[in-house]
Amino acid sequence: MSALNDTSVIFDLDGTLVDSEPNYFEAGRGLLAARGVTDFTWQDHEEYVGISTRETLARWKERYGLAAPLADLLAEKNRRYLELARASTRVYPQMARFVELLHGAGVPMAVASGSSRAAIGAILAGTGLDAWLTTYVSADEVDHGKPAPDVFLAAAERLGAAPARCVVLEDAVPGARAAKAAGMRCVAIPYVPEQADDPAFAAADLLLRGGQAEFSAQTVLDWLRG
């Protein structure tokens, strides 16, 4: 059996399969602006790339003194995000090609994301990725979000795959840490180029320092085949 045939692939969603960070930024900026916080910038947003929506909002409650219950903030953020996501979410072309190639090779695949389950489902359906990616896990369904390994371990369990035989594709530092904590190999595709030298990315099994601009479906498939 080839290395590829004994491998399962787990994708992060936001910033890895799709360029959804602009939508998350707008959803968060709108939520904060409605509460009088009008100076939230893209640079502020970058601090939370790779962290679950729930954890991000918990930090915002403390940082910005938000009085609303976390559950209410979460519902509003998800509502704002889904409106934007359904209108427009861009799939990275080489990622879509990679998913197609893996599907054609019979490789089991899953998505493990810090987004809500509703958001994951909406994006996969809206982009057509649900034709190949039918198994997915939200950080809302496990005890701890990234950088804890829970969401990746849950995805492996649903695939019936041993963690050591899984390869994770990740764009963010918390996700790269989570992949290693889960005992999985990691392909790192930094969404924020300035983070490429972070130790978590340096520890990845394959680091594409140029992010999506450097990602090639065929090249990574060949790497998986060893």
Side-chain angles (χ1 to χ4, degrees), residues 189 207-217 219-220:
I189 313 128
L207 170 60
L208 302 175
R209 300 182 63 88
Q212 291 293 339
E214 190 178 333
F215 184 86
S216 160
T219 299
V220 177

Side-chain angles (χ1 to χ4, degrees), residues 9-221:
V9 175
I10 302 174
F11 293 91
D12 170 59
L13 180 64
D14 304 299
T16 299
L17 279 170
V18 299
D19 189 14
S20 52
E21 292 301 337
N23 288 340
Y24 269 109
F25 168 64
E26 285 299 327
R29 189 183 63 79
L31 180 148
L32 290 171
R35 288 161 176 80
V37 181
T38 57
D39 58 351
F40 186 74
T41 67
W42 177 260
Q43 287 69 36
D44 294 325
H45 171 77
E46 285 185 340
E47 295 180 34
Y48 303 96
V49 170
I51 298 172
S52 74
T53 304
R54 181 182 296 275
E55 176 64 20
T56 295
L57 290 167
R59 295 186 186 186
W60 286 3
K61 274 181 66 67
E62 182 175 346
R63 180 171 181 174
Y64 299 111
L66 305 180
L70 181 59
D72 293 353
L73 294 172
L74 190 60
E76 180 180 341
K77 177 80 179 291
N78 285 335
R79 175 184 60 75
R80 288 176 178 271
Y81 173 73
L82 283 170
E83 288 177 0
L84 295 164
R86 289 185 174 119
S88 176
T89 298
R90 185 175 79 91
V91 181
Y92 293 114
Q94 281 295 306
M95 278 292 172
R97 177 63 179 150
F98 188 54
V99 171
E100 283 189 69
L101 290 172
L102 291 175
H103 177 76
V107 175
M109 295 179 286
V111 172
S113 171
S115 293
S116 69
R117 189 164 178 84
I120 300 168
I123 287 179
L124 293 179
T127 58
L129 289 171
D130 61 341
W132 305 292
L133 296 167
T134 57
T135 300
Y136 53 94
V137 183
S138 164
D140 291 349
E141 300 175 78
V142 297
D143 290 337
H144 305 286
K146 305 170 189 178
D150 303 27
V151 72
F152 288 137
L153 292 173
E157 183 177 359
R158 293 185 190 184
L159 291 174
R165 301 306 307 166
C166 293
V167 176
V168 169
L169 275 76
E170 258 290 351
D171 74 296
V173 167
R177 289 177 179 156
K180 283 301 174 182
M184 301 177 181
R185 288 185 289 162
C186 180
V187 177
I189 313 128
Y191 186 86
V192 181
E194 293 79 12
Q195 295 179 355
D197 290 322
D198 188 282
F201 284 145
D205 299 271
L206 177 62
L207 170 60
L208 302 175
R209 300 182 63 88
Q212 291 293 339
E214 190 178 333
F215 184 86
S216 160
Q218 190 61 55
T219 299
V220 177
L221 185 69

